[in-house]
Amino acid sequence: MTALSTILIWQHPAFAWNKAGHMVSGAIAYSELKQNHQQVIEKIAAILREHPEYSKFEQQWNSLNQSNISTEDKNLYLFMWAAKWPDEARGNQTFDRPTWHYINFPYQPSNASNSIPREIAGEENILYAFKKNLDIVQSNATNSEKAVAICWLFHLVGDVHQPLHATKLINNQYPEPEGDRGGTRFYIKVKPDSQTISLHKLWDDLILGSERFQTVRNTATKIRADYQRSKLPELRETQFNNWAKLESFRIAKQKVYLNGKLSGSTDKNDGKVLPPNYAATAKPIAERRMSLAGYRLADVLNKLFGK
């Protein structure tokens, strides 16, 4: 089953990338660090083993080992698990932070002056969350607290590269203040006979539909090969805020909403059909964003633990 056909039948809550996608970014970061910074992997793994929900990782790891996964891959899977953990913590009163996954910069096609990314003071969004967790990792917090913060750093670097986690469309169909809520209320069909899904879900699921260890690892390896670090000039931008403001927001306007020309529906049971090649065109954009997420995550972790 292809990734695009999987999109048409899967039904689960919208995440910023699905869990498998987050696992891919963790795997890319691991592979990057393994080349030249193995000691960084060891430092991070040692802290993650003190995560308050590490027992859940062990349960998942033990079930994997029934498939003869090498014990040498345990740290690789730990990176995958860390990247998806904040989504697994949804609904957990202790750890769930729903507003941390995104920032909804308004995009109003009819008014260019209202489509400039502006932060709202005091809002606990993805920009706030990244700084908060970065501060925790660099503080005198316990390793248990740092482990949770590290998982959030893994996850947020992935989230910020999903264009619809930096944007909300505002027009007559999706009025202020909520707009289309990052595409979650913008309903579409990939083809006339396809199931209705949200535009957000389409982009979430473009990378991968399986959480199988080997599938995730193979996908990460392919994306690294297709989008090599040396061929990504975007990597010169190292500021997290700008990954949201200058990159994801712009891509959302131009490539996701097609400069305001993409048609959607407010009826979750009857989406508007996408242009013929929309999904196929979107996939390499998503893969490039995922490669950047993996490389940048490796750089963030090396800066924190490579001393």
Side-chain angles (χ1 to χ4, degrees):
M1 181 178 291
T2 66
L4 291 181
S5 63
T6 302
I7 289 169
L8 309 186
I9 62 173
W10 269 31
Q11 287 294 298
H12 57 63
F15 300 122
W17 309 119
N18 57 26
K19 292 181 186 178
H22 278 289
M23 293 171 75
V24 169
S25 65
I28 292 172
Y30 176 90
S31 297
E32 280 293 294
L33 292 171
K34 189 171 179 61
Q35 281 189 328
N36 299 303
H37 305 287
Q38 179 67 34
Q39 77 281 8
V40 173
I41 292 174
E42 299 300 335
K43 288 180 182 178
I44 293 168
I47 297 173
L48 288 176
R49 285 194 286 271
E50 296 189 48
H51 192 289
E53 295 202 323
Y54 182 74
S55 62
K56 293 185 178 180
F57 162 77
E58 287 284 7
Q59 290 170 8
Q60 293 182 27
W61 172 251
N62 290 336
S63 66
L64 274 183
N65 274 337
Q66 296 174 9
S67 303
N68 297 317
I69 304 296
S70 166
T71 53
E72 295 179 6
D73 289 324
K74 190 168 186 176
N75 282 346
L76 169 56
Y77 189 66
L78 186 55
F79 270 52
M80 295 179 185
W81 178 83
K84 71 171 179 170
W85 176 80
D87 277 343
E88 298 202 330
R90 286 180 182 265
N92 182 321
Q93 291 186 341
T94 304
F95 299 114
D96 191 10
R97 302 289 184 271
T99 66
W100 283 11
H101 298 258
Y102 63 89
I103 183 167
N104 280 335
F105 293 128
Y107 169 44
Q108 192 169 357
S110 63
N111 191 336
S113 64
N114 287 347
S115 296
I116 300 171
R118 294 186 179 91
E119 295 179 48
I120 298 175
E123 186 176 79
E124 291 196 11
N125 54 43
I126 194 170
L127 306 186
Y128 162 91
F130 183 78
K131 184 179 185 305
K132 179 179 179 65
N133 286 285
L134 201 62
D135 288 345
I136 291 172
V137 172
Q138 295 174 306
S139 73
N140 292 322
T142 66
N143 277 354
S144 179
E145 293 169 322
K146 287 184 178 181
V148 171
I150 287 171
C151 288
W152 274 107
L153 293 181
F154 270 68
H155 194 81
L156 296 172
V157 172
D159 279 355
V160 80
H161 286 83
Q162 209 277 46
L164 285 171
H165 269 248
T167 323
K168 63 179 177 183
L169 176 69
I170 294 175
N171 57 21
N172 292 336
Q173 192 177 17
Y174 304 100
E176 295 187 88
E178 291 188 335
D180 76 341
R181 294 183 66 179
T184 59
R185 294 182 175 178
F186 190 110
Y187 296 104
I188 53 91
K189 296 179 181 179
V190 175
K191 296 178 181 179
D193 59 348
S194 299
Q195 188 177 48
T196 291
I197 58 173
S198 72
L199 185 64
H200 188 110
K201 178 170 174 53
L202 173 81
W203 280 83
D204 274 355
D205 290 357
L206 284 169
I207 299 298
L208 190 62
S210 169
E211 294 180 41
R212 288 186 65 250
F213 176 85
Q214 297 286 12
T215 306
V216 172
R217 180 166 62 180
N218 292 345
T219 301
T221 299
K222 185 178 187 304
I223 288 177
R224 281 185 76 223
D226 291 345
Y227 301 91
Q228 296 174 28
R229 178 186 278 270
S230 61
K231 297 179 181 178
L232 296 171
E234 299 99 312
L235 288 172
R236 287 195 292 267
E237 176 56 69
T238 60
Q239 297 301 308
F240 184 90
N241 287 17
N242 287 337
W243 302 341
K245 292 180 179 180
L246 302 183
E247 296 180 4
S248 284
F249 182 67
R250 174 184 57 79
I251 292 169
K253 290 195 297 183
Q254 297 175 359
K255 304 299 184 181
V256 177
Y257 293 114
L258 304 182
N259 294 310
K261 296 177 182 177
L262 185 67
S263 295
S265 169
T266 56
D267 185 349
K268 63 182 179 181
N269 298 310
D270 188 21
K272 284 286 184 86
V273 180
L274 290 173
N277 294 319
Y278 183 93
T281 302
K283 186 171 177 62
I285 296 171
E287 289 177 342
R288 187 182 185 97
R289 296 301 288 162
M290 184 59 71
S291 71
L292 288 166
Y295 293 137
R296 283 167 166 165
L297 175 58
D299 292 344
V300 167
L301 296 174
N302 189 43
K303 187 174 180 179
L304 286 170
F305 296 101
K307 299 173 183 177

